[in-house]
């Protein structure tokens, strides 16, 4: 027999720290149907609750957390198919790991070219005059003649 | 020669073997045939010598005939060997401070100065003409000079470890009466030229000048020849360029050979073309070998580095090959410069040359060995500021006058030019009125008003050729160059991101009379400060200065950048021409039209086309790069010639083109933005995509570890 905690996970699979429905956890005991590996165990349990509403399982004895699919075998008998949630199971170790982060939500360098930055087909084209003393600068004042003479 | 040498016979002269004996206390003395005794491997023969003290054993080792054993040890003691030619005992050799005696058998064969000395088994030890002296250690042995009597000439003797000899000095006409021999331990050298020096990892290569092997000889003689076929002259090996660049007493590395090197130092400058210099050869890590002092002339003769080497005898020598410019075709080489190198010197130089870098197999075997990885320092930059205008104009020296007439005055001038007064006078001197009227043109400005300085021009009576019109006073320009402030414009960021930079954003500048030009938006957004650092703020102020030559209408526009860190630094200069010419004759009119048609000299030289460069970036249609690639190039301004520029817009302006980004709130939560920062994942939050990670110190299976890394690279939410 092995102790299980059945939970309702509200978070997406890629989230390292999951959130769960409040006050919905169920503690159960189950048996392995056959010899299973710790990463993808299949466990049979007995429960009066409707386990089809649950999608997450924790097995403290294995130190792991699992995504869960429940199948009813008969009245009050369920077969739980588990697959390890490696992100949540080892969240502390993951957070303690060194990495080079390519894309981030909080540490961003906007000067790096980004192939995912969405822009419109429209270009913003603007014109800006050179100004001198607040007025558009220009060289022209009075058109003038110039006569170049030898000697003089 | 008698073949039996173990009976103690010593041949002294003319092949006659006298009887010589060595004393042995255990051996009965006798004359004639002598028995040989062996004790402890040493062979002894009896000697009958009246001076030998009793109790002493005196003998010699036939296998090393230069040694004498005395009192059971080989040593240098005063010892005399005697021989008895049959009449009386004569001293054979006197030893002084040496520890061996003369060769137990030697002979003198020639009556000339060529002396041959033979070992006891007739092996020639030395014959003149072989090998090379090079100042080898000389060792002497005294052969007691003798005459027919018992005269003894005492001489000095020196230690000589082997027995290669030649005579360098004799006394008396009778060469049998010699008092000393000089030992020459030089082997028979076989010299060949050393062709090339290759430095560290093949980065330095000098093809040396060479004497061809067949002409080196024993390397002992200075040779002057006009036969240029004996040499290979390589200009790379010229010594003077390496020496003349040195300051007096400045020592600097001039040659490399593998990891060894040679330095040169000018020790004296005898004249502006004559130097003495020291050449020092070093093993790596500053372990010096020896020094060579040379005299070098920089004119009249060319000196080249040259080496000879004998790999079998492990010897090498350095000297110069001289090519006389004053005596064309005459080449000299010399290997017996004083002081002569010793055997040790030649061995050291041999080792120096033998560490020559490996010969490269091809031109691509050389290259840099720098693997990089060490960032350099920031690059402080220099100011580029506007300089003062030229001071010479040509308008103040009397050859030219640049009038600025009004339209009414110009009409009056035209009438005057065609009057009889002008025509008659000018024809007398110049023949053609147009030779005096150099140009008539119009500019869109007068220097008397803003934006020029506004100073009034002086006036004087109009004068052409030698004809002055009293009633026509016209202004004239006495300053040729003007600076005009053409204002400034602010360039600001729009997105605060890479979109503000090329190729996504472009910038062009329209310059009146000069046309449209492209500017580098990257520099405008982030011009480095004077210490070479990127600025913390984006954007700048562009200021424009027109530098005008009123005589030619040429304009140079200087564009300067100012931001929080730099002020008025010139970054662009453009040139063009303003004004239009007014034809005075049919010829000038025709050339004017032709110039307009062909857009000739003095016109706008560069054209800008709008649109951006188009990088090929894959991705969805909304991605900026892809959009960019779809944009066409558009020409905003055609060819503006100097004449047409008069009709163009008079105010400079900037055109900025930037992608428009739709408002997309919270994109970072879904896709993140580029980060490329490193650290612990605990310092990151939210959407995170990893480039690489070390997922360690986690007690998981390898399958889980692999999955974790895959998920991190695909993107997770921390």
């Amino acid at each position: 027999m092995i102790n299980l905690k059945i939970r309702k996970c509200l978070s997406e699979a890629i989230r390292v720290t999951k959130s769960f429905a409040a006050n919905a956890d169920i503690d159960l005991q189950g048996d392995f149907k056959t010899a299973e590996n710790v990463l993808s165990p299949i466990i049979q349990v007995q429960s009066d609750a409707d386990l089809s509403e649950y999608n997450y399982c924790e097995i403290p004895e294995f130190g792991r957390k699992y995504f869960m699919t429940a199948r009813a075998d008969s009245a009050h008998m369920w077969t739980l198919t588990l697959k390890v949630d490696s992100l949540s199971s080892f969240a502390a170790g993951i957070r303690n790991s060194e990495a080079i982060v390519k894309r981030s939500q909080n540490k961003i360098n906007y000067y790096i070219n980004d192939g995912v930055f969405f822009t419109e087909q429209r270009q913003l084209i603007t014109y800006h005059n050179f100004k001198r003393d607040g007025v558009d600068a220009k060289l022209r004042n009075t058109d003038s003649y110039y006569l170049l003479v030898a000697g003089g | 020669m008698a073949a039996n040498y173990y009976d103690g016979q010593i041949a002294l002269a003319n092949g006659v073997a006298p009887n010589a004996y060595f004393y042995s206390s255990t051996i009965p003395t006798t004359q004639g045939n002598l028995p040989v005794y062996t004790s402890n491997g040493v062979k002894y023969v009896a000697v009958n010598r009246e001076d030998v003290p009793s109790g002493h054993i005196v003998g010699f080792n036939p296998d090393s005939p230069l040694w004498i054993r005395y009192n059971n040890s080989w040593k240098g003691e005063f010892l005399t060997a005697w021989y008895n030619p049959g009449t009386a005992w004569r001293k054979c050799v006197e030893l002084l401070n040496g520890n061996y005696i003369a060769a137990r058998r030697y002979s003198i064969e020639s009556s000339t100065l060529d002396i041959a000395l033979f070992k006891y088994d007739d092996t020639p030890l030395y014959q003149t003409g072989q090998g090379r002296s090079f100042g080898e250690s000389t060792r002497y042995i005294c052969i007691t000079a003798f005459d027919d009597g018992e005269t003894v000439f005492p001489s000095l003797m020196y230690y000589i470890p082997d027995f290669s000899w030649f005579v360098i000095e004799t006394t008396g006409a009778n060469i049998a009466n010699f008092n000393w021999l000089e030992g020459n331990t030089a082997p028979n050298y076989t010299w060949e030229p050393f062709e090339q020096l290759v430095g560290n990892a093949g980065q330095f290569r000098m093809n040396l000048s060479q004497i061809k092997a067949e002409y080196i000889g024993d390397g002992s003689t200075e040779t002057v020849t006009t036969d240029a076929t004996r040499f290979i002259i390589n200009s790379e090996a010229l010594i003077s360029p390496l020496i003349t660049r040195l300051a007096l007493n400045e020592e600097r590395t001039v040659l490399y050979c593998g990891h060894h090197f040679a330095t040169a130092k000018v020790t004296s400058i005898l004249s502006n073309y004559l130097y003495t210099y020291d050449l020092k050869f070093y093993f790596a890590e500053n372990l010096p070998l020896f020094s060579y002092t040379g005299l070098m002339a920089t004119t009249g003769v060319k000196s080249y580095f040259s080496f000879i080497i004998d790999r079998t005898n492990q010897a090498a020598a350095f000297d110069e090959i001289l090519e006389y410019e004053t005596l064309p075709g005459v080449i000299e080489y010399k290997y017996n410069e004083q002081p002569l190198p010793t055997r040790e010197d030649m061995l050291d130089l041999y080792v120096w040359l033998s560490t020559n870098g490996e010969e490269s197999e091809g031109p691509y075997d050389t290259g840099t060995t720098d693997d990089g990885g060490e960032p350099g320092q920031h690059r402080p930059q220099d100011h580029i500021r506007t300089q003062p205008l030229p001071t010479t104009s040509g308008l103040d020296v009397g050859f030219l006058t640049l009038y600025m007439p009004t339209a009414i005055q110009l009409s009056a001038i035209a009438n005057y030019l065609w009057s009889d007064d002008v025509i008659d006078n000018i024809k007398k001197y110049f023949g053609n009125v147009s030779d005096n009227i150099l140009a008539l043109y119009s500019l869109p400005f007068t220097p008397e008003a803003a934006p020029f300085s506004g100073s009034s021009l002086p006036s004087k009576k109009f004068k052409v050729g030698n004809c002055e019109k009293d009633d026509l006073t016209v202004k004239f320009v006495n300053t040729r160059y003007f600076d005009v402030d053409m204002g400034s414009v602010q360039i600001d960021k729009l997105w605060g991101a890479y979109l503000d930079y090329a190729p996504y954003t472009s910038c062009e500048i329209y310059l009146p009379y000069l046309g449209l030009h492209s500017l580098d938006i990257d520099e405008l957004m982030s011009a480095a400060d004077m210490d070479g650092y990127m600025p913390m703020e984006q954007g700048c102020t562009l200021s424009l200065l027109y530098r005008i030559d009123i005589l030619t209408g040429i304009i140079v526009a200087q564009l300067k950048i100012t931001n929080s860190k730099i002020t008025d630094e010139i970054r662009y200069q453009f040139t063009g021409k303003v004004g239009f010419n007014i034809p005075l004759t049919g010829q000038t009119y025709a050339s004017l039209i032709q110039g307009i048609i062909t857009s000739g000299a003095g016109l706008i030289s560069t054209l800008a086309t709008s649109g951006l460069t188009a990088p090929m970036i894959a991705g969805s249609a909304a991605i900026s790069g892809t959009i960019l690639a779809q944009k066409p190039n558009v020409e905003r301004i055609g060819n503006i010639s100097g004449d047409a520029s008069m009709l163009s817009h008079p105010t400079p302006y900037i055109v900025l083109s930037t992608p428009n980004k739709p408002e997309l709130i919270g994109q970072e939560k879904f896709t993140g933005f580029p980060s490329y920062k490193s650290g612990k994942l605990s310092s990151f939050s939210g959407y995170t995509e990893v480039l690489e990670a070390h997922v360690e110190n986690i007690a998981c299976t390898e399958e889980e570890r692999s999955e974790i890394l895959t998920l991190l690279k695909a993107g997770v939410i921390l």
Side-chain angles (χ1 to χ4, degrees):
Chain A
M1 299 295 283
I2 193 164
N3 295 318
L4 313 171
K5 182 189 289 287
I6 310 300
R7 310 186 78 176
K8 291 184 181 179
C9 179
L10 306 177
S11 302
E12 58 269 73
I14 62 171
R15 189 173 290 275
V16 174
T17 302
K18 304 286 196 297
S19 60
F20 301 94
N23 304 315
D25 296 348
I26 301 176
D27 291 318
L28 297 173
Q29 284 189 325
D31 281 325
F32 290 105
K33 288 190 73 174
T34 57
E36 299 290 347
N37 70 64
V38 71
L39 302 185
S40 307
I42 299 176
I43 300 175
Q44 198 165 42
V45 298
Q46 182 178 14
S47 173
D48 296 333
D50 182 3
L51 296 186
S52 64
E53 296 178 354
Y54 289 79
N55 58 7
Y56 207 80
C57 176
E58 295 182 16
I59 303 179
E61 192 170 329
F62 290 169
R64 283 169 169 77
K65 302 170 184 180
Y66 298 87
F67 300 108
M68 187 189 83
T69 304
R71 188 191 75 215
D73 292 334
S74 61
H76 314 297
M77 291 300 293
W78 299 87
T79 296
L80 306 179
T81 302
L82 306 180
K83 186 181 181 309
V84 68
D85 177 3
S86 51
L87 288 179
S88 293
S89 298
F90 305 103
I94 290 170
R95 284 202 171 84
N96 206 38
S97 296
E98 300 272 345
I100 298 174
V101 172
K102 188 168 63 176
R103 302 187 71 86
S104 172
Q105 183 173 336
N106 68 325
K107 289 188 173 182
I108 300 168
N109 185 339
Y110 289 102
Y111 292 119
I112 295 177
N113 201 341
D114 184 357
V116 189
F117 207 95
F118 301 102
T119 55
E120 294 182 347
Q121 198 71 10
R122 298 186 291 179
Q123 291 281 110
L124 187 63
I125 303 172
T126 54
Y127 294 76
H128 311 268
N129 285 346
F130 280 76
K131 292 190 187 300
R132 184 175 57 232
D133 300 325
V135 179
D136 288 350
K138 54 183 178 182
L139 181 61
R140 193 169 200 165
N141 46 35
T142 305
D143 294 344
S144 302
Y145 290 108
Y146 292 86
L147 181 66
L148 185 63
V149 174
Chain B
M1 300 284 183
N4 182 4
Y5 301 110
Y6 294 103
D7 62 358
Q9 293 180 334
I10 297 176
L12 183 58
N14 299 322
V16 176
N19 295 323
Y21 305 95
F22 289 94
Y23 175 77
S24 169
S25 62
T26 63
I27 303 168
T29 58
T30 180
Q31 295 186 13
N33 294 328
L34 299 175
V36 176
Y37 296 88
T38 301
S39 174
N40 293 329
V42 178
K43 296 181 181 178
Y44 295 93
V45 295
V47 60
N48 184 13
R49 179 180 178 280
E50 59 203 5
D51 288 342
V52 176
S54 63
H56 289 157
I57 299 174
V58 179
F60 65 94
N61 186 346
D63 296 322
S64 181
L66 300 179
W67 291 85
I68 191 70
R69 187 173 176 87
Y70 177 64
N71 283 346
N72 291 325
S73 64
W74 301 107
K75 55 186 175 180
E77 295 277 347
F78 182 81
L79 199 63
T80 303
W82 294 81
Y83 76 96
N84 187 340
T87 58
W89 283 103
R90 296 178 185 274
K91 288 181 183 178
C92 178
V93 171
E94 279 190 357
L95 274 173
L96 278 177
N97 299 323
N99 56 358
Y100 53 79
I101 198 170
R104 63 181 182 157
R105 182 166 186 264
Y106 53 87
S107 64
I108 302 167
E109 293 197 336
S110 172
S111 61
T112 68
L113 285 178
D114 292 328
I115 302 298
L117 187 68
F118 293 89
K119 284 176 64 176
Y120 61 89
D121 58 356
D122 286 334
T123 302
L125 300 177
Y126 176 77
Q127 293 176 348
T128 56
Q130 291 182 338
R132 171 185 168 173
S133 65
F134 279 102
E136 300 272 353
S137 297
T138 55
R139 302 163 185 107
Y140 305 88
I141 190 167
C142 170
I143 303 297
T144 306
F146 65 94
D147 54 19
D148 292 336
E150 297 184 5
T151 306
V152 173
F153 295 92
S155 304
L156 293 176
M157 298 177 61
Y158 295 85
Y159 176 76
I160 306 170
D162 62 23
F163 31 93
S164 176
W165 305 88
F166 72 95
V167 173
I168 63 170
E169 183 172 337
T170 62
T171 59
N174 183 353
I175 61 169
N177 300 331
F178 56 89
N179 58 356
W180 51 272
L181 294 171
E182 178 181 347
N184 176 12
T185 56
N188 295 327
Y189 294 102
T190 303
W191 297 111
E192 57 186 48
F194 198 76
E195 297 180 352
Q196 190 180 69
L197 290 178
V198 182
N200 283 332
Q203 290 187 35
F204 170 88
R205 189 194 302 273
M206 174 187 278
N207 291 310
L208 297 163
S209 289
Q210 311 163 32
I211 309 169
K212 296 180 181 178
E214 58 267 38
Y215 299 110
I216 296 178
D218 64 2
S220 63
T221 309
E222 176 174 326
T223 298
V224 180
T225 179
T226 56
D227 185 358
T229 62
R230 296 189 177 193
F231 300 87
I232 298 174
I233 300 294
N234 275 303
S235 59
E236 292 179 26
L238 202 58
I239 297 177
S240 59
L242 300 178
I243 303 300
T244 54
R245 67 187 175 100
L246 300 177
L248 186 62
N249 293 319
E250 175 192 7
E251 185 176 1
R252 197 188 292 188
T253 299
V254 293
L255 295 176
Y256 282 101
C257 187
H259 293 283
H260 301 332
F261 59 94
T263 64
K265 180 169 74 173
V266 173
T267 52
S268 69
I269 301 175
L270 304 177
S271 70
N272 60 354
Y273 66 90
L274 203 59
Y275 299 76
T276 62
Y277 67 97
D278 282 346
L279 192 64
K280 292 185 180 179
F281 294 84
Y282 287 82
F283 285 134
E285 299 181 359
N286 298 322
L287 186 63
L289 302 178
F290 62 90
S291 178
Y292 163 82
T293 298
L295 176 67
M296 187 198 69
T298 57
T299 64
V301 61
K302 293 181 179 177
S303 300
Y304 300 92
F305 286 113
S306 176
F307 297 88
I308 58 174
I309 190 169
D310 180 342
R311 291 182 170 82
T312 301
N313 289 299
Q314 296 189 325
F318 161 79
D319 215 303
E320 299 165 85
I321 292 176
L322 305 179
E323 188 178 21
Y324 289 92
E325 296 175 315
T326 52
L327 299 172
V330 175
I331 301 175
E332 171 185 339
Y333 75 91
K334 43 188 177 177
Y335 288 91
N336 62 346
E337 283 288 327
Q338 295 297 327
L340 293 171
T342 63
R343 286 293 298 276
E344 286 75 24
D345 289 343
M346 292 200 292
L347 176 61
D348 285 343
L349 187 60
Y350 170 80
V351 173
W352 194 88
L353 290 172
S354 297
T355 57
N356 207 7
E358 290 185 4
E359 293 297 324
S360 297
E361 296 182 359
Y364 303 109
D365 288 346
T366 58
T368 61
T369 58
D370 177 14
D371 293 330
E374 290 188 21
Q377 302 297 317
H378 279 273
R379 301 172 183 166
Q381 53 180 342
D382 299 312
H383 293 290
I384 304 175
R385 297 273 172 78
T386 300
Q387 299 302 310
L389 290 167
T391 55
T392 54
S393 68
L395 296 178
D396 53 357
V397 293
F399 285 93
L400 301 171
T401 301
L402 183 63
Y403 293 100
M404 196 184 76
T406 63
I408 295 175
Q409 289 174 333
L410 196 57
S411 296
I413 290 170
N415 290 331
Y416 177 64
L417 288 177
W418 296 113
S419 68
D420 293 335
D421 180 27
V422 170
I423 290 175
D424 290 341
N425 278 289
I426 289 182
K427 277 173 66 176
K428 290 178 189 175
Y429 299 105
F430 302 105
N432 194 338
V433 172
S434 63
D435 289 343
N436 295 273
I437 306 297
L438 304 179
L440 175 62
Y441 53 92
S442 176
L443 299 175
F445 50 78
T446 166
E448 290 182 303
F452 291 80
S453 61
S455 301
S456 295
L457 295 177
S459 301
K460 64 178 179 179
K461 292 179 182 177
F462 178 78
K463 186 177 179 182
V464 58
N466 200 32
C467 305
E468 186 176 82
K469 189 164 176 47
D470 291 332
D471 60 345
L472 183 59
T473 299
V474 184
K475 290 182 180 178
F476 67 96
V477 179
N478 57 359
T479 300
R480 179 171 173 177
Y481 301 105
F482 297 89
D483 276 341
V484 176
D485 176 12
M486 293 296 286
S488 62
V489 66
Q490 188 69 24
I491 306 294
D492 291 323
K493 63 183 177 183
L494 186 61
W495 301 113
Y498 71 96
L499 291 176
D500 289 325
Y501 296 86
Y504 307 100
T505 293
S506 70
C507 179
E508 295 164 312
I509 184 170
Y510 165 75
L511 296 168
Y513 320 114
L514 275 67
L516 193 69
H517 298 276
S518 292
L519 302 180
D520 184 353
I521 189 61
D522 290 356
E523 184 172 23
L524 302 185
M525 281 296 169
S526 299
D529 64 19
M530 297 311 295
D531 294 324
Y533 289 88
M534 290 293 280
M536 296 300 291
E537 301 163 2
Q538 287 180 269
C540 70
T541 300
L542 281 179
S543 55
L544 182 62
L545 175 70
Y546 268 26
R547 314 202 91 184
I548 301 168
D549 178 356
I550 205 168
L551 184 62
T552 61
I554 288 176
I555 296 176
V556 172
Q558 290 185 341
L559 197 59
K560 292 177 268 191
I561 289 182
T562 297
N563 62 17
S564 60
K565 297 291 184 182
I566 60 176
T567 303
D568 282 342
E569 297 292 340
I570 298 172
R571 290 295 179 259
Y572 295 89
Q573 292 187 93
F574 304 100
T575 186
K577 188 172 180 298
V578 65
F580 65 91
N581 292 313
I582 299 171
L584 298 170
T585 66
Q587 186 177 10
T588 56
Y589 180 71
S591 66
L592 170 67
I593 296 299
Q594 185 63 28
I596 292 172
I597 292 173
T598 60
S599 299
L603 307 178
I604 306 303
S605 58
T606 59
L607 274 181
T609 57
S610 73
L612 308 169
T613 56
M616 299 302 292
I617 301 175
S620 71
I623 293 174
S624 53
T626 305
I627 295 170
L628 204 59
Q630 300 169 346
K631 298 296 183 184
N633 287 331
V634 175
E635 185 173 316
R636 295 181 185 276
I637 292 178
N639 191 358
I640 300 179
S641 69
D643 296 298
S645 67
M646 291 288 286
L647 303 173
S648 58
H649 187 69
T651 297
Y653 57 83
I654 293 287
V655 184
L656 289 170
S657 180
T658 302
N660 192 52
K661 189 186 82 64
E663 187 181 69
L664 187 60
I665 299 173
Q667 179 180 345
E668 67 274 10
K669 291 190 294 188
F670 301 96
T671 66
F673 284 118
S675 177
Y676 290 94
K677 298 182 190 296
S678 62
K680 283 194 176 180
L681 287 174
S682 57
S683 65
F684 295 84
S685 65
Y687 182 83
T688 305
E689 233 177 84
V690 159
L691 183 66
E692 281 299 336
H694 281 180
V695 184
E696 300 170 336
N697 301 315
I698 299 177
C700 60
T701 64
E702 284 311 303
E703 188 178 337
E704 288 169 313
R705 198 185 312 277
S706 176
E707 185 183 54
I708 289 170
L709 191 57
T710 300
L711 289 171
L712 287 174
K713 289 183 177 181
V716 298
I717 301 174
L718 293 173

